[in-house]
Amino acid sequence: MLDTETKRRIDTCRDILVGKVPDPKSQVEQITVALIYKFMDDMDLEAEELGGERRFFTKDYERYRWAKLVAPGVSGQDMLNTYSEALTKMVENDGLPKLFRDIFRNAYLPYRDPETLRSFLREINSFTYDHSEKLGDAFEYLLSVLGSQGDAGQFRTPRHIIDFMVEIIDPKKTETIMDPACGTAGFLISAYKHILKQNSTTAPSDSSVSESGDAVEQALESPLRYPGDKLSQEDRLRLANNIYGYDISPDMVRLSLVNLYLHGFADPKIEEYDTLTSEAKWQEMADVILANPPFMSPKGGIKPHTRFQVQSKRSEVLFVDYMAEHLTPQGRAAIVVPEGIIFQSQSAYVALRKMLVENHLAAVISLPAGVFNPYSGVKTSILILDRAVAKASKHVAFFKIENDGFALGAQRKAVKGSQLAQVKAELGIWLQAARAGGGEGLESDLGFCVPRVDLLADGSVGLSAERYVTRDGTRSGFPMVSLGDESIFKVESGGTPKSDTPEFWGGRHPVGNTCRSTCNELHHRNYGHGAH
């Protein structure tokens, strides 16, 4: 977990920058670049202490060493000139691995105030790299300030939701794992952590949630705490090559590379790539896909290629189509989607849902509005795709979560009664049965299953759980009776019976009020078939 001193230092760096760099994403980039800059000099120093040689700051680049940059006596203006020049020169340094050159590509200093830079670099200088687990957690906390990139409909997925999705999909050490809109690589790191945990002789128990602290801090956990000692060297090499992601933003690619590197990936497989308009990687398939793709299409629109099964220019439709079509025959996926994917009536949405129900969909998990607070109150669901389940089972499971372990207000304080563990366990049992051709029954107070034929029979193929809710009389402790049975009671229209009508007030006849049949029918439609 993140220690308070490291958190304080990160917050201090942001406080120093905010006057000159108000944008949170730019703050993260400036801190990231500075940390990696210092990290390289620290590694050079460690190599020398162990009898080796410097790798990063050699020859003409030796004058850019961090230790010289922040040495006593260096004026603020000299510091600014050297640091600005170093940022532009690092990409040309052949002594840097490609990963580090990519991190420094397009890096620059967006302000020219020597005192701000001096204060900032001095605070960065207080970070130490002798504990990689803490460093990984620190970077996760740093990324948490990104929050919402609202123009693209991107919202940082809370760590506990990411881990919940990964645990349901249960990726294995031999499987390929992909995120086609990877952002800061949160899903990929969680999948890596899950595999390490499953292949450790003695894995610590899951961290308990305390009564204080926000969702981000509560969920921070480095995968390096799991040794993965059951993994062979061959397993580790294959795993490193099998985890990969794409993002259209070079800034997000840079952050992903750093995040994965700090979590133990020497050569992360992250590329700048437009999943929706480029065909270059169309043939690449994955056993596991985990993603929270952008919900909104960019202002300039999308010009997708024509290989998608569903023709659309809506980014959320295209991303879900892409992930469904790029699963291997035994492939599985967990995808965060907006409500439009669940019930939007436009033809592209309907066509997508029909494709999913027929060939890919295993389960729909409704999340409460507020999961993405304080960045957005958007209502979302999780689609669980499983090609083996879709082929073997005639049913789809639906779950509705109302408590994810955190209050749904802006502060997202930890609360008791999380339903995530229950849903994970019950869905896991159902998926196992469904893969074997079962899945027609689901014993849960949070979910139920629906035949695929019923989903497809509805012209809109809606995936809203309320649409398929039915009242089960067998679960009641009281007998079910017909409202038309006048031997039990009499149905009459009108208001409250008069006080001088003894048969109503003498205790001989129960009284029930009903609204008109048209009102009842409307109520039934709204409750039983989802009013949107």
Side-chain angles (χ1 to χ4, degrees), residues 117-371:
L117 181 65
R118 181 196 290 275
S119 299
F120 173 62
L121 295 187
R122 281 179 174 172
E123 194 63 42
I124 292 292
N125 196 49
S126 67
F127 284 87
T128 59
Y129 294 88
D130 56 349
H131 199 315
S132 57
E133 179 180 329
K134 287 185 178 179
L135 184 61
D137 286 346
F139 192 69
E140 283 293 297
Y141 173 69
L142 177 60
L143 294 179
S144 75
V145 309
L146 284 177
S148 165
Q149 300 299 315
D151 289 342
Q154 299 171 348
F155 304 98
R156 183 182 183 275
T157 315
R159 178 63 51 193
H160 66 295
I161 298 297
I162 290 177
D163 291 344
F164 169 69
M165 294 166 64
V166 168
E167 288 166 4
I168 288 173
I169 296 300
D170 190 23
K172 306 298 184 184
K173 66 180 182 179
T174 58
E175 293 183 314
T176 52
I177 303 166
M178 185 252 284
D179 183 345
C182 65
T184 59
F187 280 104
L188 300 179
I189 288 172
S190 180
Y192 178 55
K193 176 186 71 177
H194 178 83
I195 293 171
L196 286 180
K197 184 177 180 179
Q198 297 303 315
N199 290 275
S200 296
T201 303
T202 56
S205 60
D206 292 337
S207 301
S208 60
V209 177
S210 69
E211 295 298 321
S212 61
D214 60 46
V216 172
E217 289 183 67
Q218 294 292 348
L220 288 175
E221 179 181 64
S222 171
L224 298 179
R225 74 190 292 246
Y226 301 112
D229 52 291
K230 293 182 181 179
L231 296 173
S232 66
Q233 187 62 28
E234 181 182 354
D235 289 334
R236 291 180 178 276
L237 289 174
R238 180 175 55 239
L239 188 58
N241 287 319
N242 281 354
I243 295 178
Y244 62 98
Y246 318 129
D247 202 282
I248 193 173
S249 165
D251 296 332
M252 290 295 105
V253 169
R254 181 187 297 127
L255 294 175
S256 287
L257 290 171
V258 175
N259 204 8
L260 284 163
Y261 183 85
L262 295 179
H263 284 88
F265 286 73
D267 184 21
K269 309 301 181 186
I270 303 294
E271 296 184 51
E272 182 181 339
Y273 179 72
D274 187 342
T275 308
L276 305 184
T277 64
S278 175
E279 299 182 56
K281 300 182 183 299
W282 184 261
Q283 301 302 325
E284 295 183 4
M285 300 291 173
D287 300 310
V288 169
I289 299 178
L290 301 155
N292 175 10
F295 292 173
M296 295 170 58
S297 301
K299 294 178 181 178
I302 299 175
K303 296 180 180 179
H305 55 73
T306 58
R307 302 187 72 168
F308 292 97
Q309 184 171 332
V310 177
Q311 299 302 304
S312 176
K313 292 188 177 181
R314 300 294 302 177
S315 63
E316 65 267 34
V317 172
L318 295 172
F319 268 114
V320 175
D321 180 314
Y322 183 93
M323 288 179 257
E325 292 198 62
H326 285 78
L327 288 175
T328 60
Q330 298 297 315
R332 310 176 306 288
I335 313 165
V336 178
V337 297
E339 288 297 89
I341 294 292
I342 301 300
F343 61 75
Q344 181 64 256
S345 61
Q346 294 176 10
S347 60
Y349 292 89
V350 175
L352 176 67
R353 291 193 293 267
K354 183 174 186 294
M355 179 188 81
L356 294 177
V357 171
E358 289 177 339
N359 300 303
H360 303 89
L361 188 63
V364 179
I365 304 171
S366 174
L367 297 176
V371 165

